[in-house]
PDB file of all heavy atoms in Angstrom:
ATOM      1  N   PHE A 314     -23.469   2.452  -8.376  1.00 98.00           N
ATOM      2  CA  PHE A 314     -22.457   3.294  -7.919  1.00 98.00           C
ATOM      3  C   PHE A 314     -22.516   3.506  -6.428  1.00 98.00           C
ATOM      4  O   PHE A 314     -23.532   3.987  -5.896  1.00 98.00           O
ATOM      5  CB  PHE A 314     -22.551   4.720  -8.604  1.00 98.00           C
ATOM      6  CG  PHE A 314     -22.124   4.730 -10.036  1.00 98.00           C
ATOM      7  CD1 PHE A 314     -22.880   4.363 -11.120  1.00 98.00           C
ATOM      8  CD2 PHE A 314     -20.790   5.175 -10.409  1.00 98.00           C
ATOM      9  CE1 PHE A 314     -22.548   4.373 -12.366  1.00 98.00           C
ATOM     10  CE2 PHE A 314     -20.362   5.174 -11.645  1.00 98.00           C
ATOM     11  CZ  PHE A 314     -21.231   4.856 -12.731  1.00 98.00           C
ATOM     12  N   VAL A 315     -21.496   3.091  -5.787  1.00 98.00           N
ATOM     13  CA  VAL A 315     -21.332   3.393  -4.341  1.00 98.00           C
ATOM     14  C   VAL A 315     -20.680   4.718  -4.071  1.00 98.00           C
ATOM     15  O   VAL A 315     -19.646   5.004  -4.495  1.00 98.00           O
ATOM     16  CB  VAL A 315     -20.493   2.318  -3.611  1.00 98.00           C
ATOM     17  CG1 VAL A 315     -20.410   2.481  -2.133  1.00 98.00           C
ATOM     18  CG2 VAL A 315     -21.159   0.897  -3.956  1.00 98.00           C
ATOM     19  N   VAL A 316     -21.455   5.626  -3.317  1.00 98.00           N
ATOM     20  CA  VAL A 316     -20.972   7.003  -3.120  1.00 98.00           C
ATOM     21  C   VAL A 316     -21.093   7.232  -1.666  1.00 98.00           C
ATOM     22  O   VAL A 316     -21.579   6.463  -0.829  1.00 98.00           O
ATOM     23  CB  VAL A 316     -21.769   8.007  -3.954  1.00 98.00           C
ATOM     24  CG1 VAL A 316     -21.709   7.600  -5.496  1.00 98.00           C
ATOM     25  CG2 VAL A 316     -23.212   8.087  -3.514  1.00 98.00           C
ATOM     26  N   GLY A 317     -20.862   8.540  -1.276  1.00 97.00           N
ATOM     27  CA  GLY A 317     -20.811   8.941   0.122  1.00 97.00           C
ATOM     28  C   GLY A 317     -19.626   9.708   0.404  1.00 97.00           C
ATOM     29  O   GLY A 317     -18.683   9.703  -0.358  1.00 97.00           O
ATOM     30  N   LEU A 318     -19.579  10.289   1.480  1.00 97.00           N
ATOM     31  CA  LEU A 318     -18.306  11.002   2.021  1.00 97.00           C
ATOM     32  C   LEU A 318     -17.226   9.818   2.148  1.00 97.00           C
ATOM     33  O   LEU A 318     -17.575   8.616   2.267  1.00 97.00           O
ATOM     34  CB  LEU A 318     -18.475  11.522   3.403  1.00 97.00           C
ATOM     35  CG  LEU A 318     -19.188  12.854   3.414  1.00 97.00           C
ATOM     36  CD1 LEU A 318     -19.333  13.225   5.006  1.00 97.00           C
ATOM     37  CD2 LEU A 318     -18.523  13.974   2.780  1.00 97.00           C
ATOM     38  N   THR A 321     -16.674   6.186   4.713  1.00 94.00           N
ATOM     39  CA  THR A 321     -18.019   5.899   5.358  1.00 94.00           C
ATOM     40  C   THR A 321     -18.307   4.346   5.019  1.00 94.00           C
ATOM     41  O   THR A 321     -19.547   4.130   4.802  1.00 94.00           O
ATOM     42  CB  THR A 321     -19.078   6.782   4.629  1.00 94.00           C
ATOM     43  OG1 THR A 321     -19.031   6.768   3.231  1.00 94.00           O
ATOM     44  CG2 THR A 321     -18.855   8.264   5.043  1.00 94.00           C
ATOM     45  N   THR A 323     -17.551   2.934   2.214  1.00 95.00           N
ATOM     46  CA  THR A 323     -17.706   2.814   0.726  1.00 95.00           C
ATOM     47  C   THR A 323     -16.844   1.582   0.229  1.00 95.00           C
ATOM     48  O   THR A 323     -17.297   0.863  -0.622  1.00 95.00           O
ATOM     49  CB  THR A 323     -17.378   4.040  -0.064  1.00 95.00           C
ATOM     50  OG1 THR A 323     -16.029   4.375   0.261  1.00 95.00           O
ATOM     51  CG2 THR A 323     -18.376   5.131   0.252  1.00 95.00           C
ATOM     52  N   LEU A 444     -19.645  -0.173  -9.183  1.00 98.00           N
ATOM     53  CA  LEU A 444     -18.627   0.944  -9.245  1.00 98.00           C
ATOM     54  C   LEU A 444     -18.680   1.744  -7.959  1.00 98.00           C
ATOM     55  O   LEU A 444     -19.639   1.745  -7.317  1.00 98.00           O
ATOM     56  CB  LEU A 444     -19.002   1.723 -10.441  1.00 98.00           C
ATOM     57  CG  LEU A 444     -19.176   0.972 -11.759  1.00 98.00           C
ATOM     58  CD1 LEU A 444     -19.742   1.803 -12.919  1.00 98.00           C
ATOM     59  CD2 LEU A 444     -17.823   0.297 -12.178  1.00 98.00           C
ATOM     60  N   LYS A 445     -17.560   2.439  -7.737  1.00 97.00           N
ATOM     61  CA  LYS A 445     -17.405   3.154  -6.369  1.00 97.00           C
ATOM     62  C   LYS A 445     -16.453   4.254  -6.427  1.00 97.00           C
ATOM     63  O   LYS A 445     -15.333   4.126  -6.989  1.00 97.00           O
ATOM     64  CB  LYS A 445     -17.071   2.031  -5.430  1.00 97.00           C
ATOM     65  CG  LYS A 445     -16.733   2.692  -4.071  1.00 97.00           C
ATOM     66  CD  LYS A 445     -15.229   2.682  -3.765  1.00 97.00           C
ATOM     67  CE  LYS A 445     -14.813   3.218  -2.491  1.00 97.00           C
ATOM     68  NZ  LYS A 445     -13.446   3.095  -2.113  1.00 97.00           N
ATOM     69  N   SER A 446     -16.885   5.348  -5.789  1.00 95.00           N
ATOM     70  CA  SER A 446     -15.952   6.327  -5.461  1.00 95.00           C
ATOM     71  C   SER A 446     -16.601   7.430  -4.609  1.00 95.00           C
ATOM     72  O   SER A 446     -17.724   7.896  -5.090  1.00 95.00           O
ATOM     73  CB  SER A 446     -15.152   7.036  -6.644  1.00 95.00           C
ATOM     74  OG  SER A 446     -14.380   8.072  -6.091  1.00 95.00           O
ATOM     75  N   PRO A 447     -16.085   7.833  -3.419  1.00 94.00           N
ATOM     76  CA  PRO A 447     -16.683   8.883  -2.715  1.00 94.00           C
ATOM     77  C   PRO A 447     -16.643  10.220  -3.549  1.00 94.00           C
ATOM     78  O   PRO A 447     -17.506  11.131  -3.381  1.00 94.00           O
ATOM     79  CB  PRO A 447     -15.702   9.021  -1.463  1.00 94.00           C
ATOM     80  CG  PRO A 447     -15.176   7.695  -1.289  1.00 94.00           C
ATOM     81  CD  PRO A 447     -14.996   7.189  -2.757  1.00 94.00           C
ATOM     82  N   HIS A 449     -17.553  10.738  -6.490  1.00 96.00           N
ATOM     83  CA  HIS A 449     -18.670  10.899  -7.322  1.00 96.00           C
ATOM     84  C   HIS A 449     -19.754  11.765  -6.639  1.00 96.00           C
ATOM     85  O   HIS A 449     -20.630  12.269  -7.288  1.00 96.00           O
ATOM     86  CB  HIS A 449     -19.331   9.617  -7.660  1.00 96.00           C
ATOM     87  CG  HIS A 449     -18.537   8.616  -8.555  1.00 96.00           C
ATOM     88  ND1 HIS A 449     -17.827   9.125  -9.605  1.00 96.00           N
ATOM     89  CD2 HIS A 449     -18.321   7.256  -8.442  1.00 96.00           C
ATOM     90  CE1 HIS A 449     -17.202   8.132 -10.177  1.00 96.00           C
ATOM     91  NE2 HIS A 449     -17.375   6.975  -9.474  1.00 96.00           N
ATOM     92  N   LEU A 450     -19.573  11.953  -5.400  1.00 96.00           N
ATOM     93  CA  LEU A 450     -20.719  12.575  -4.570  1.00 96.00           C
ATOM     94  C   LEU A 450     -21.110  13.980  -5.120  1.00 96.00           C
ATOM     95  O   LEU A 450     -22.184  14.344  -5.283  1.00 96.00           O
ATOM     96  CB  LEU A 450     -20.355  12.674  -3.096  1.00 96.00           C
ATOM     97  CG  LEU A 450     -21.423  13.192  -2.200  1.00 96.00           C
ATOM     98  CD1 LEU A 450     -22.700  12.320  -2.192  1.00 96.00           C
ATOM     99  CD2 LEU A 450     -20.902  13.281  -0.749  1.00 96.00           C
ATOM    100  N   LEU A 453     -23.004  13.956  -9.124  1.00 98.00           N
ATOM    101  CA  LEU A 453     -24.115  12.968  -9.322  1.00 98.00           C
ATOM    102  C   LEU A 453     -24.980  13.356 -10.542  1.00 98.00           C
ATOM    103  O   LEU A 453     -25.470  12.562 -11.258  1.00 98.00           O
ATOM    104  CB  LEU A 453     -25.026  12.879  -8.126  1.00 98.00           C
ATOM    105  CG  LEU A 453     -24.410  12.119  -6.906  1.00 98.00           C
ATOM    106  CD1 LEU A 453     -25.436  12.066  -5.702  1.00 98.00           C
ATOM    107  CD2 LEU A 453     -23.963  10.626  -7.305  1.00 98.00           C
ATOM    108  N   LEU A 456     -22.900  12.069 -13.522  1.00 98.00           N
ATOM    109  CA  LEU A 456     -22.925  10.708 -13.427  1.00 98.00           C
ATOM    110  C   LEU A 456     -24.307  10.193 -14.104  1.00 98.00           C
ATOM    111  O   LEU A 456     -24.343   9.231 -14.808  1.00 98.00           O
ATOM    112  CB  LEU A 456     -22.705  10.273 -12.126  1.00 98.00           C
ATOM    113  CG  LEU A 456     -22.569   8.755 -11.727  1.00 98.00           C
ATOM    114  CD1 LEU A 456     -21.836   8.428 -10.465  1.00 98.00           C
ATOM    115  CD2 LEU A 456     -23.880   7.984 -11.644  1.00 98.00           C
ATOM    116  N   ILE A 465     -27.888   4.321  -7.094  1.00 98.00           N
ATOM    117  CA  ILE A 465     -26.925   4.894  -6.247  1.00 98.00           C
ATOM    118  C   ILE A 465     -27.042   4.301  -4.805  1.00 98.00           C
ATOM    119  O   ILE A 465     -28.116   4.419  -4.190  1.00 98.00           O
ATOM    120  CB  ILE A 465     -27.241   6.469  -6.188  1.00 98.00           C
ATOM    121  CG1 ILE A 465     -27.315   7.050  -7.577  1.00 98.00           C
ATOM    122  CG2 ILE A 465     -26.195   7.040  -5.322  1.00 98.00           C
ATOM    123  CD1 ILE A 465     -25.997   6.891  -8.393  1.00 98.00           C
ATOM    124  N   VAL A 466     -25.952   3.771  -4.314  1.00 98.00           N
ATOM    125  CA  VAL A 466     -25.904   3.316  -3.034  1.00 98.00           C
ATOM    126  C   VAL A 466     -25.058   4.358  -2.234  1.00 98.00           C
ATOM    127  O   VAL A 466     -23.809   4.553  -2.418  1.00 98.00           O
ATOM    128  CB  VAL A 466     -25.137   1.930  -2.833  1.00 98.00           C
ATOM    129  CG1 VAL A 466     -24.958   1.577  -1.396  1.00 98.00           C
ATOM    130  CG2 VAL A 466     -25.977   0.915  -3.624  1.00 98.00           C
ATOM    131  N   TRP A 467     -25.772   5.060  -1.283  1.00 98.00           N
ATOM    132  CA  TRP A 467     -25.175   6.178  -0.606  1.00 98.00           C
ATOM    133  C   TRP A 467     -24.846   5.712   0.859  1.00 98.00           C
ATOM    134  O   TRP A 467     -25.723   5.436   1.686  1.00 98.00           O
ATOM    135  CB  TRP A 467     -26.200   7.286  -0.526  1.00 98.00           C
ATOM    136  CG  TRP A 467     -25.717   8.628  -0.001  1.00 98.00           C
ATOM    137  CD1 TRP A 467     -24.798   8.873   1.049  1.00 98.00           C
ATOM    138  CD2 TRP A 467     -26.038   9.952  -0.453  1.00 98.00           C
ATOM    139  NE1 TRP A 467     -24.523  10.243   1.213  1.00 98.00           N
ATOM    140  CE2 TRP A 467     -25.313  10.936   0.208  1.00 98.00           C
ATOM    141  CE3 TRP A 467     -26.819  10.382  -1.524  1.00 98.00           C
ATOM    142  CZ2 TRP A 467     -25.366  12.262   0.054  1.00 98.00           C
ATOM    143  CZ3 TRP A 467     -26.809  11.770  -1.828  1.00 98.00           C
ATOM    144  CH2 TRP A 467     -26.165  12.661  -1.016  1.00 98.00           C
ATOM    145  N   CYS A 468     -23.582   5.659   1.154  1.00 97.00           N
ATOM    146  CA  CYS A 468     -23.107   5.300   2.487  1.00 97.00           C
ATOM    147  C   CYS A 468     -23.054   6.353   3.452  1.00 97.00           C
ATOM    148  O   CYS A 468     -22.755   7.534   3.110  1.00 97.00           O
ATOM    149  CB  CYS A 468     -21.676   4.551   2.390  1.00 97.00           C
ATOM    150  SG  CYS A 468     -21.635   3.181   1.367  1.00 97.00           S
ATOM    151  N   HIS A 469     -23.466   6.107   4.701  1.00 97.00           N
ATOM    152  CA  HIS A 469     -23.546   7.196   5.726  1.00 97.00           C
ATOM    153  C   HIS A 469     -22.727   6.922   6.945  1.00 97.00           C
ATOM    154  O   HIS A 469     -22.646   5.747   7.471  1.00 97.00           O
ATOM    155  CB  HIS A 469     -25.047   7.298   6.099  1.00 97.00           C
ATOM    156  CG  HIS A 469     -25.985   7.682   4.899  1.00 97.00           C
ATOM    157  ND1 HIS A 469     -26.038   9.030   4.455  1.00 97.00           N
ATOM    158  CD2 HIS A 469     -26.884   6.998   4.237  1.00 97.00           C
ATOM    159  CE1 HIS A 469     -26.913   9.070   3.481  1.00 97.00           C
ATOM    160  NE2 HIS A 469     -27.434   7.760   3.292  1.00 97.00           N
TER     161      HIS A 469
END
Side-chain angles (χ1 to χ4, degrees):
F314 281 86
V315 179
V316 307
L318 286 175
T321 57
T323 56
L444 310 168
K445 168 253 179 177
S446 177
H449 293 317
L450 185 63
L453 290 179
L456 184 157
I465 306 298
V466 174
W467 190 320
C468 296
H469 297 285

